[in-house]
Structure formats: structure tokens, C-alpha cells
């Protein structure tokens, strides 16, 4: 909300996030069932590239790259159950944020008379999603956090550096 509010106005961002959140609830946490046209295309692209479905909880569950197949197949059901609520909360937040940002970017471009392409609108929404929720993918981690045991031990330590960077950048 603060990132989107700073870019598009706090009233607009709040209204867009509220509307997208209500739609996500009605869609039972799967907006692809409600969206149409360019919004559905952008949403599907966000799912495909991981903007929406990348979560820290599923990384902990061993779904990320490099899991030890000999051990993880036994632990996967337990970890999937443990990560269920975290995954769905993260998925909900990212879906609502992404589609709200896409709509705000589209409205802003139209208001300015800009002929923004679908890809440009998508990139603006993706950027807003990552600015607000950060990128927890394995490739975006500090090198020290990328090893097998480091990935688990330092998993929830990714947020603090991202928040510090955001605060410093905004200052």
C-alpha cells in the first residue's frame, strides 16, 4: 500500500487494493477464475514468471531449486501442511497487489494519454508487487543464503535486508 500510494495516490491505491482483495476472496484465492481480457493475460504472465506464486513458505517446504530428493520426499507432506496457511496468505496478498497495481498503472497511463503496451503495464504492476512484497526467489538471495542448509536457516532473514534497502532507498 505505501509503495502504491506514493506512486498513484493513497486514496486510489487503497480503493484498488480493497476492490482486488474483495475479488480475491470471492474467487476463493484464485483470481484467474474472475479476470478477463488483458487483466487475465497479465495475471497469467505473473503466475508463469513467479511474481505471484513465489513464497518463502514453499521454499522452506523444499520446492525451490536443489532440494535433496532422498530426504525431501518423506518430509514434503509434512512441510506442505505446515506451509499451507503461509502460502495462501502470500498468494492472496500478491494476487490482490498485482491486479490492483495493473489497474492503477492502466488508469494512470490512460489519464496521461500514454499509449502504454500490455507489457509496459505488466512490468509496472510486477515492479509494484516486488516493491511491496519483495522477491524471495533463490536467485535474488545473497550468496551466503543460497546453500542447502543456509536456505533453511536464513529463510526468514530475507525480509530484514529487503526492508532496510527499501527504507534507505526511500529516505
Amino acid at each position: 500500500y505505501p509503495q502504491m500510494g506514493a506512486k498513484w495516490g493513497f486514496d486510489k491505491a487503497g480503493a484498488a487494493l480493497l476492490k482486488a482483495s474483495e475479488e480475491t476472496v470471492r474467487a476463493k484465492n484464485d483470481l484467474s477464475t474472475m479476470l478477463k481480457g488483458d487483466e487475465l493475460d497479465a495475471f497469467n504472465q505473473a503466475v508463469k514468471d513467479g511474481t505471484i506464486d513465489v513464497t518463502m513458505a514453499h521454499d522452506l517446504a523444499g520446492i525451490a531449486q536443489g532440494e535433496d530428493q532422498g530426504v525431501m520426499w518423506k518430509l514434503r507432506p509434512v512441510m506442505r501442511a505446515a506451509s499451507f496457511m503461509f502460502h495462501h496468505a502470500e498468494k492472496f496478498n500478491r494476487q490482490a497487489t498485482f491486479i490492483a497495481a495493473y489497474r492503477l498503472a492502466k488508469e494512470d497511463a490512460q489519464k496521461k494519454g500514454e499509449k502504454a503496451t500490455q507489457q509496459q503495464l505488466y512490468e509496472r504492476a510486477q515492479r509494484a508487487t516486488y516493491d511491496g512484497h519483495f522477491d524471495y526467489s533463490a536467485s535474488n538471495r545473497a550468496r551466503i543464503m543460497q546453500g542447502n542448509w543456509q536456505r533453511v536457516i536464513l529463510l526468514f532473514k530475507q525480509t530484514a535486508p529487503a526492508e532496510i534497502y527499501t527504507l534507505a532507498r526511500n529516505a
Side-chain angles (χ1 to χ4, degrees):
Y1 172 70
Q3 300 290 335
M4 294 169 64
K7 184 163 186 67
W8 293 299
F10 289 95
D11 290 341
K12 284 183 178 182
L17 284 167
L18 184 59
K19 180 181 178 192
S21 295
E22 289 170 350
E23 290 173 352
T24 307
V25 168
R26 280 197 312 273
K28 297 183 177 137
N29 208 16
D30 183 7
L31 273 176
S32 66
T33 62
M34 290 188 81
L35 299 174
K36 293 179 174 48
D38 63 321
E39 288 182 356
L40 180 59
D41 293 341
F43 180 87
N44 286 335
Q45 185 177 352
V47 169
K48 182 179 177 184
D49 73 17
T51 302
I52 292 175
D53 284 337
V54 173
T55 67
M56 292 189 326
H58 269 129
D59 199 18
L60 181 60
I63 292 175
Q65 307 147 349
E67 70 182 23
D68 182 353
Q69 295 294 330
V71 174
M72 288 310 297
W73 73 271
K74 294 176 187 171
L75 294 176
R76 184 171 286 152
V78 173
M79 295 307 289
R80 186 167 285 144
S83 70
F84 180 83
M85 287 177 42
F86 294 108
H87 168 69
H88 286 284
E90 183 80 5
K91 182 179 173 187
F92 179 94
N93 290 334
R94 286 180 181 266
Q95 286 182 94
T97 300
F98 178 82
I99 205 62
Y102 182 84
R103 290 170 178 166
L104 288 168
K106 186 175 180 179
E107 179 186 324
D108 188 53
Q110 289 172 345
K111 186 174 98 175
K112 292 177 178 175
E114 180 186 347
K115 302 261 191 248
T117 65
Q118 164 104 15
Q119 186 61 31
Q120 289 170 322
L121 296 175
Y122 169 79
E123 288 169 2
R124 291 172 193 170
Q126 181 186 45
R127 173 76 182 196
T129 303
Y130 281 137
D131 282 352
H133 296 284
F134 310 123
D135 180 357
Y136 294 115
S137 65
S139 63
N140 199 46
R141 290 193 188 146
R143 187 167 298 193
I144 195 168
M145 297 177 149
Q146 292 183 5
N148 286 335
W149 67 268
Q150 295 95 333
R151 200 174 57 217
V152 174
I153 300 295
L154 300 172
L155 178 65
F156 294 107
K157 297 299 181 191
Q158 286 180 261
T159 303
E163 289 176 353
I164 290 167
Y165 171 77
T166 299
L167 289 171
R169 182 189 68 210
N170 290 346

